[in-house]
Amino acid sequence: MGTHNSGARGRFYLQQLELENNELKMCSYTITDYLEAHRRGDVAFAELGYRKLLLASNQNYDVLHLLAMLCLETERPDEAFSLIAMALKVKPESAVIWNSAGVIHRQNQQIQEAKNCWLRALDLDGRLEDAYVNLLDTLSAEPERPPEFRAICIGAIENRVPLRRPYYELARLQLEEDDQIGAAETWLRMIQERLACESDVLELADSLSHPEAINQVVKVCHELARREDAPVAALQTLSVILTGRLSPYHQRQLSAEMRSEIEATVRGYLAQARQLSQSGKGLFLIARCLRQMGYAAEAIDHLQTAFRLDPQYLPIQQCLANATLETGDVETARAIFRSVVTGDHPMPQSEFELSRIEEVGSPEAISRLREMLRSVTLPEQEKKLCLFALGNRLQSQEKWEEAATQYLLASEIGNTDEQLRNKERYSAQPICRTYDAEYFQAVQWHDRCESDLPIFIVGMPRSGTTLVEQILSCHPDLFAAGELPTIAHLFDSLTNGEEQWKSDPQLLRSSEIARLKPLGDQYIAELMRRMAGAEMPKRVTDKMPTNHRYLGFIANILPKANIVHVLREPKDVFASCIQLNLNWPFSDPDALVYYIKQYQRLMMHWRKTLPINLVEVQYEQLVQNARPEVSRLLESVGLEWDESCLNHTNARREVRTPSKAQVRRGLYTTSIDKWKRYERVFGKYYARLDQDSE
């Protein structure tokens, strides 16, 4: 059955109406027969019947009520008012009739009168769903939600009305007030009542950052998940939150064993949720978790099914495009992104991704982006993505200065957190002072891990580290493990996250020497876990660019490891980083200049002191003259020449770095000296990069 007088007219369901006084008959027809005709849409027959029944008894409130709503439906508001007033006079204690009176007032823009009617209905029946829905719809349409909005939500929850919206709206209010613990409690009640849907799980789980709130949700959902009749939302919630703990940002805080355990747990919950949820949004949620864990190909299978079930839910298409791009199918990803951005709803994330793989100016795209940026309600992070995308589009039209201006505007968003800036700011000086030639000399007499399996690829972000790993990944004797947080985690385990070692090198040295072999063995064990199921290779790459900070530590715990340092013109690195939506400090021009100078100083120190094999690859030489550079690289890390390394675009491995699209292309030289195009805008930063010290 359809909904009658829904939407702007308020909520009034004919199919749910229970008649209290249905004994009236006219010839062979009863009020129930006319109600059925009304439900079917035979309004003329229903009205004729209602009026005949009123001739027999004009005190029948059911008939008055139904005829009033029929008049409203057929745009006769005055008659509807008259009839509903008569019905209330006969039956003033009917919550259902008061609710319908509110619907009539709302249709005639008498908002306060409508609210009074719905509040009266709730006084009479605190569990009347339609009255709650009508009130929430009306109050949420106001410029600012009035105080009674919260009270209505709480009233519905306390009366255990089986509606998800009061829980959802109250949780959102609590999040806006930064009451994450309160929001978590509301959300958990919604899950326990089995009212949460997949979109609630995504939105609310992604909104939690307070450790106490997160732990509270995880604890309760774990208990719910152990039940035989586990709510699917509890399983989904656990999957989303636990997968977040596997993100690159959080991985440093987890041991290899913990990451492995969390991943196995998440996969178990996802398998359960897959059996219980067959909706498009549910499958999207599962796929998003899989993609975050690095299983893009598996995620694609779920996303394709999800799209068939719910083709209008744009996040499915957006996630599918990203997963497809990560597996190397750039053309398919481009087609999906295009279909998303040309739809009716703005999608800044897709605009940004498409602008990076579609090297055309596209006036239509520029117009879309400018229109989005004019919106005063656009969230900051979406505005940031639009600015980056606009810069990329303008760059494709060779409007270099205007593009650079957009990049700088984007870089101003989200870079004001002083606590983050102070935490992430690093200096080469204490590292150089700790890992000096004397210390390396002392360490060599200790027992250490003798594995020559790892190749560490380091350098600045956007220097070509992904390209180098992609080339090496084509070698049959090598396994490419991608960007691993393992070294940083092992180093942090020595210092317990404390900074004292920077002022007293001996603190770190004594702790490190006591654990040299176990630390190296731990790292190799993590590589073996990553390669589970793969044929044992001769070498494994770890392409975490920021491992350049830990080369002294690596040399001590893995003395037979190989280091590949990828260099690129610093001004090109700067220009390339500023064009991307990277984390701080790589998104902040001043912080980025400082970081590059510290990196240069530290690499100069390693060249002089590092006691293990260090080979340097110049990006510009690699793309201009690949064969001799690749040959030299392979020889330096103990691998024989293999022609397949010159066909890196054929590698089907998943790539999740910002270079995921570029490495699918053949070698190109158009990015060499690209910095010159932005010199008028970025010039002051370039000048600082050219200085001898920072």
Side-chain angles (χ1 to χ4, degrees), residues 617-683:
V617 177
Q618 188 72 41
Y619 169 80
E620 290 82 0
Q621 294 177 13
L622 177 64
V623 298
Q624 289 175 317
N625 198 11
R627 181 176 288 272
E629 287 297 306
V630 174
S631 176
R632 180 177 67 86
L633 173 59
L634 292 174
E635 183 180 1
S636 70
V637 297
L639 294 173
E640 296 181 359
W641 169 256
D642 194 285
E643 195 74 19
S644 61
C645 290
L646 295 180
N647 299 307
H648 70 276
T649 57
N650 296 330
R652 304 315 300 172
R653 59 185 285 266
E654 294 179 12
V655 179
R656 304 189 67 199
T657 72
S659 304
K660 55 184 175 285
Q662 288 90 334
V663 296
R664 307 298 183 182
R665 298 166 53 186
L667 296 177
Y668 54 92
T669 60
T670 53
S671 290
I672 296 176
D673 288 338
K674 195 173 180 179
W675 64 270
K676 295 178 180 177
R677 300 166 181 171
Y678 313 105
E679 193 163 15
R680 290 176 64 89
V681 179
F682 295 160

Side-chain angles (χ1 to χ4, degrees), residues 11-12 94-103 117-118 121 128 130-131 134:
R11 179 155 156 162
F12 171 77
S94 172
V96 173
I97 298 176
W98 278 105
N99 176 68
S100 296
V103 172
C117 288
W118 291 323
L128 186 60
D130 287 358
N134 289 328

